[in-house]
Amino acid sequence: MTSHQSTQTMKPATAAKKLGVYLEATPADFREGVVSRAELNELQTNPPQWLQDLRSNGPHPRPVVAAKLGVSIAGLARGGVTEPLTTEQIETLKQDSPEWLVRERATQAEVRKEAARIKKKNAERDA
C-alpha cells in the first residue's frame, strides 16, 4: 500500500488573507490561479516586489486598516470606512483624527482593558 499525499491548495482569496493583502490589488496571475501551501510559504519567506509594495503602500484590506488605526473592523464600518485604504490615506486619517476615530479608539482601548482584566481574573482563579 502506497501513501499518496496530495498537494494542499487554496483559493487566491484565502492566500491573500493569509498574506494580509487586498486581493484586487494583487497581480492577475495570482488572482486567477490556485496557491499551494509551498507557494504560500515561499511568498511569506521571500516576498516578491509586488507583495512588498502592497504590504508597505496598500491598498490594505479592512483587517489591516483597522489594526493600523487601532480600531475594530466594526468600528471602521461605523466610521464610514468600507473601502480598502492606502498607507497614505491611513496616515492622513491618523493626523486628521476625526471624531469617530477618537471614539472608536477609546472603545477599542476599553475592550482591551476589559479583556486583560478577565484574563487576569481567570488566571488567578486557575492558580
Side-chain angles (χ1 to χ4, degrees):
M1 203 157 107
T2 60
S3 163
H4 178 63
Q5 185 174 5
S6 64
T7 303
Q8 186 180 16
T9 60
M10 62 192 81
K11 294 177 182 176
T14 304
K17 186 175 184 179
K18 289 179 181 287
L19 292 169
V21 295
Y22 181 56
L23 178 63
E24 299 305 316
T26 60
D29 60 331
F30 180 85
R31 287 192 310 268
E32 295 164 1
V34 293
V35 181
S36 71
R37 175 64 63 187
E39 290 169 331
L40 178 68
N41 290 340
E42 180 62 25
L43 286 170
Q44 289 172 324
T45 306
N46 300 309
Q49 190 60 47
W50 64 264
L51 183 54
Q52 292 175 29
D53 291 344
L54 277 178
R55 285 179 170 168
S56 63
N57 303 323
H60 302 288
R62 285 182 305 168
V64 174
V65 173
K68 286 180 179 267
L69 289 174
V71 300
S72 66
I73 294 172
L76 281 180
R78 285 189 293 270
V81 178
T82 57
E83 297 297 316
L85 299 179
T86 63
T87 301
E88 186 178 317
Q89 291 169 314
I90 292 169
E91 290 305 316
T92 300
L93 263 177
K94 284 181 178 178
Q95 289 172 358
D96 294 348
S97 199
E99 189 267 328
W100 71 265
L101 182 57
V102 173
R103 185 177 61 247
E104 290 300 333
R105 281 182 163 173
T107 300
Q108 191 69 5
E110 285 298 317
V111 168
R112 286 189 188 116
K113 191 167 128 182
E114 180 65 9
R117 185 190 68 78
I118 291 170
K119 184 177 179 181
K120 182 180 176 187
K121 179 180 172 187
N122 288 341
E124 288 171 354
R125 184 191 63 208
D126 294 343

